[in-house]
Amino acid sequence: MAAGCSKDKDYVGPTDPIVPGEDKVNLGSGDTGLLNFAYALEQLEAAFYTKVVESPWSGINATEKEYLIDIQLHEIAHRELLRNVLGDGKIGNLAFDFSKVNFADRSSVLEAAKEMEDIGVAAYNGVAPLLKSKDFLTVAAKIVSVEARHAAYIRETIKPNDFTAGVVGSNGQEQPLKPADVLSRVKKYITTEINASNLPTA
């Protein structure tokens, strides 16, 4: 687990980026299924930011590039942490399609990043009440706090003072999303068929 938390700039996961391979995956049930759901999202984010860093848009400034590399490394660390925690219960590697993102265009990249980060935070908040294991809940809580920082940075980069617009309710809390809603929203990026029918709902 500790290895998966590394943020060293030289850190490279054992399969970084993950090589697509599965046509279908079943997330499973219970806490393992919920962590596999989170693992699928971290695979997506790690793959996305790896592509962003490998093909930065024209005119990207040094600060933006540095922060995007930081986010990439965080996502790789999250992916590897969940991979290690899940062990033999983990799903396989997912396949992705980022053809709807123009990686040469700053706006296209940042809007896609905003969408993924906002969905990611809402996803963890939706999963938290369903987890039975205190240890798994701790892992999810540590990850979502970092994901929220990513979301805030991306939003501020797009438009100053917009870091909570549309995602924080009148009660001052983030709005959660159920796994089915999350998977529906990220389906355009994930070509692997994901079976989430056995995930707990309450």
Side-chain angles (χ1 to χ4, degrees):
M1 289 174 65
C5 293
S6 172
K7 184 185 165 295
D8 192 298
K9 296 275 187 178
D10 295 325
Y11 172 77
V12 178
T15 52
D16 181 30
I18 283 181
V19 177
E22 301 290 336
D23 294 325
K24 299 179 181 180
V25 297
N26 189 320
L27 298 180
S29 59
D31 281 3
T32 296
L34 292 171
L35 277 201
N36 266 324
F37 165 67
Y39 178 46
L41 296 180
E42 297 300 344
Q43 284 194 44
L44 169 63
E45 290 182 312
F48 172 73
Y49 283 108
T50 294
K51 192 163 180 63
V52 172
V53 169
E54 288 176 347
S55 307
W57 63 80
S58 176
I60 188 172
N61 65 49
T63 300
E64 289 173 336
K65 187 171 185 179
E66 180 182 358
Y67 284 4
L68 287 169
I69 290 173
D70 277 347
I71 294 175
Q72 177 207 21
L73 294 176
H74 292 162
E75 302 299 1
I76 291 171
H78 295 167
R79 184 192 71 198
E80 296 308 307
L81 171 59
L82 291 172
R83 177 201 290 271
N84 292 335
V85 170
L86 284 161
D88 292 340
K90 67 181 179 296
I91 58 172
N93 302 332
L94 304 184
F96 306 105
D97 176 10
F98 296 120
S99 60
K100 293 179 175 63
V101 182
N102 179 0
F103 287 91
D105 180 74
R106 181 179 186 272
S107 247
S108 180
V109 171
L110 292 179
E111 285 298 330
K114 174 184 171 182
E115 179 182 34
M116 290 185 204
E117 296 296 351
D118 285 349
I119 289 173
V121 174
Y124 276 101
N125 287 329
V127 159
L130 304 175
L131 288 167
K132 305 298 183 186
S133 165
K134 181 180 177 181
D135 290 339
F136 284 5
L137 180 59
T138 298
V139 170
K142 288 181 176 181
I143 291 176
V144 73
S145 63
V146 178
E147 296 291 353
R149 294 174 189 271
H150 295 170
Y153 168 70
I154 295 295
R155 282 172 158 268
E156 284 297 291
T157 301
I158 295 172
K159 181 182 177 182
N161 303 317
D162 191 51
F163 65 97
T164 62
V167 292
V168 176
S170 59
N171 58 359
Q173 297 179 8
E174 182 82 21
Q175 303 303 298
L177 282 175
K178 296 179 180 179
D181 295 327
V182 171
L183 292 174
S184 175
R185 295 189 186 194
V186 299
K187 188 176 181 180
K188 61 185 176 183
Y189 299 120
I190 302 175
T191 60
T192 300
E193 182 181 332
I194 297 177
N195 182 345
S197 61
N198 295 316
L199 291 185
T201 57

